[in-house]
Amino acid sequence: MSTARARVGRPRSEAARAAILHAVDDLLVEQGYAAMTLKGIAERAGVSRQTIYRWWSTKAEILFEASWTDAEEELNIETSATPLAEITAYLEALIRFLAHSPAGAAYRALVGEAQQDAEIAKLLASRDVLGESAQRVIKRALGDEISITLEEASAILVGPIFFPVLVGRELTGLDEARWAKRFLTQMQRDQPPAG
Amino acid sequence: MSTARARVGRPRSEAARAAILHAVDDLLVEQGYAAMTLKGIAERAGVSRQTIYRWWSTKAEILFEASWTDAEEELNIETSATPLAEITAYLEALIRFLAHSPAGAAYRALVGEAQQDAEIAKLLASRDVLGESAQRVIKRALGDEISITLEEASAILVGPIFFPVLVGRELTGLDEARWAKRFLTQMQRDQPPAG
Amino acid sequence: MSTARARVGRPRSEAARAAILHAVDDLLVEQGYAAMTLKGIAERAGVSRQTIYRWWSTKAEILFEASWTDAEEELNIETSATPLAEITAYLEALIRFLAHSPAGAAYRALVGEAQQDAEIAKLLASRDVLGESAQRVIKRALGDEISITLEEASAILVGPIFFPVLVGRELTGLDEARWAKRFLTQMQRDQPPAG
Amino acid sequence: MSTARARVGRPRSEAARAAILHAVDDLLVEQGYAAMTLKGIAERAGVSRQTIYRWWSTKAEILFEASWTDAEEELNIETSATPLAEITAYLEALIRFLAHSPAGAAYRALVGEAQQDAEIAKLLASRDVLGESAQRVIKRALGDEISITLEEASAILVGPIFFPVLVGRELTGLDEARWAKRFLTQMQRDQPPAG
DNA sequence: GGCTAATCGAGACGGTACGTCACGTCTTACT
DNA sequence: AGTAAGACGTGACGTACCGTCTCGATTAGCC
């Protein structure tokens, strides 16, 4: 039925959609999230403001759609031979993403907004690229040799990077391999509460 | 001359300053950071908007000043008998602060704003309540028995809590004592790169 | 050739046309002219906006077509035995139309728009229901016993009603028979400029 | 108390007020009422849109304030020696105002809007320049020698001019002196219903 | 019975004005 | 000089219609 409905009337302009998302991408890099305005996006995309409102209800929503794919890609690392190599590669990707990539800036901006806007918080929680990618990697690297939940494990892996970046601390001179080794050691020795 | 000049005219009203900070505190609890407006603060404080602008340049700055003391207090735990008790108490305080306290909400909002505003980022980095309190506790609990920098250690302690909270994940059923034990074990076994 | 061309293709839907005019009639009564919107008409009539634009170029044009017949009818009184009865009946009809009937509201709205829109002014002047009906009645009641133009006479008959209604004055307690008598007296005594 | 209140804070900018009213005057002549937009007025006056909204709630309200004084002036004729001269002069002024003056165009536009907007209707009825000026003149010219209400008399005087103008009829070749004489004759002969 | 062509519904599109909101600055009188 | 009050210019917000534009689906006359 929804497919039938979708065929009625003038179809949505794919060109407009793409132009908007590209404009958001560009403006994010050029001006940052805060300075980004719906009017600005519309003008940059050569699109009417109304068209944007028709499909998204928030600046954050557009940003999410515009940056999600990039984020997903940047955090999706290739399979490595050893768990150590795998985790190390992920940590490198994570730092590159969070601290240096435009998609990461978008992600941080969204996390920022989420602190004040429940709607955005929900959006972010529903498809948390960061947490999910970490869990994926951990599962791939360690399989069943893990005695805590994936959620906990991902927090332990991601948190120590996430926190200093968000708080504005410099991460220079960080040795990803050492962090990866520490993470693995901890995962193997960790025992469930009953142990 | 400038000192002489500074003493001329009506002195700054300390009452106004206090009223403003209290108003911010109250409004933060009642409406949250996003809904807080300078006009609202002024009206609540019974103060003119101009007076606010004279002493602070940003909403974030006022918020920082208004919530810093509370934050400091909430994160400053009493001395305990054992390192385990100490770290456990700190983790409890940390979660209470970050996830449930108004001052924590203010802190999260500031972290959020900092992602988009360099000025706020600088402000936040200059007196990072969270990181500093963690370092203080770690130093007190472990003294010299630590082979990594305090910065790293604090990231490892705080990050795994900070990340899920900021991302909107639920923290229900978290066992602080277990986390504290894991942290201590890790700190004691951790070896410097050369090890 | 153009006639041949015009006969090809799907013919105009008479049902749509009627639905539109009825929708305008209804909406005029329910919401008034100002609140009437092309989108609203289309939805009420179960017709696409484009279909309306295909056949009318202005909201006023539709309104004119939709209300003209009603107006004509309401202002077309039956023949009476005496001129006094005739004029009295007309005045009654005129007041009923202008001040109380939906068609009259439409007419007033059109007069209003005409003050600002030359196109509507032309439309209104081309088939002025009010003036024409008045002239018809005067001619029927007085025939040749009139020394001024019908236009002047109709202005004298209609104007003193038209003015207060348009200006929003109440007309309560108006004695139509007296006004009719006065009009007739005046018409009979009135002398051409040379008199 | 209200006087005391008015002295607090920055006083209303008389320059802005005048600029707005002048802009409305100008735009009315240049573009007409319909094409006049609040945005346009603001830009023309070199004033912010907000400032307009602060003091007026409707385009019509501004227009009313902007044109009322002019209208009052144009319809306020000097005293003449005879009633005939007086009425004749008034009719001349009335035609000049309604059919040719910018203030008259404003008045007609307001009458037009009033047909669709109760708020404007109220505004117009509350200070009806046209009706009041007519009543003033009639009273001055005839004093007590009048057997009907001033309202009725003014409708009889004004209506026959008002109607054709509003309906878009040409008034060329109208002999004001003849109309004035007719009006006076009628006023003197008119008898109350009981007579 | 297929072809051509105009109409119809639905609904997306670029525009543009609307009225509101908060901002940061200014101009008063008062203290 | 500092303060409360409050008006000012600025500029984004989200909404509402406007008139135009695609779509697929009808519905007629014509070959």
Side-chain angles (χ1 to χ4, degrees), chain B residues 83 86-87 134-150 153 183-184 187-188:
Chain B
E86 191 113 30
I87 299 293
Q135 296 185 29
R136 217 159 38 227
V137 168
I138 295 171
K139 200 171 193 177
R140 208 165 66 190
L142 295 176
D144 301 333
E145 308 172 40
I146 183 173
S147 58
I148 57 176
T149 65
L150 274 176
F183 173 72
L184 289 172
M187 283 301 110
Q188 281 149 7

Side-chain angles (χ1 to χ4, degrees), chain A residues 128-163:
Chain A
D128 176 17
V129 253
L130 229 172
E132 286 168 16
S133 68
Q135 296 185 29
R136 218 159 36 226
V137 168
I138 295 172
K139 200 170 192 178
R140 207 165 65 189
L142 295 176
D144 301 332
E145 309 172 41
I146 184 173
S147 57
I148 58 175
T149 65
L150 275 176
E151 281 208 354
E152 269 190 40
S154 68
I156 291 171
L157 180 59
V158 171
I161 304 293
F162 183 89
F163 167 58

Side-chain angles (χ1 to χ4, degrees), chain B residues 51-70:
Chain B
T51 300
I52 301 184
Y53 284 115
R54 228 189 301 272
W55 304 111
W56 295 276
S57 50
T58 313
K59 195 169 76 166
E61 231 173 67
I62 317 175
L63 184 58
F64 186 74
E65 184 165 342
S67 62
W68 193 83
T69 318
D70 284 348

Side-chain angles (χ1 to χ4, degrees), chain D residues 5 8-10 13 48-49 51 54-55:
Chain D
R5 260 212 161 259
V8 175
R10 177 172 178 175
S13 160
S48 86
R49 230 140 37 86
T51 296
R54 237 188 294 271
W55 302 108

Side-chain angles (χ1 to χ4, degrees), chain B residues 1-11:
Chain B
M1 185 145 175
S2 75
T3 10
R5 262 208 166 256
R7 290 181 171 249
V8 176
R10 179 172 179 176

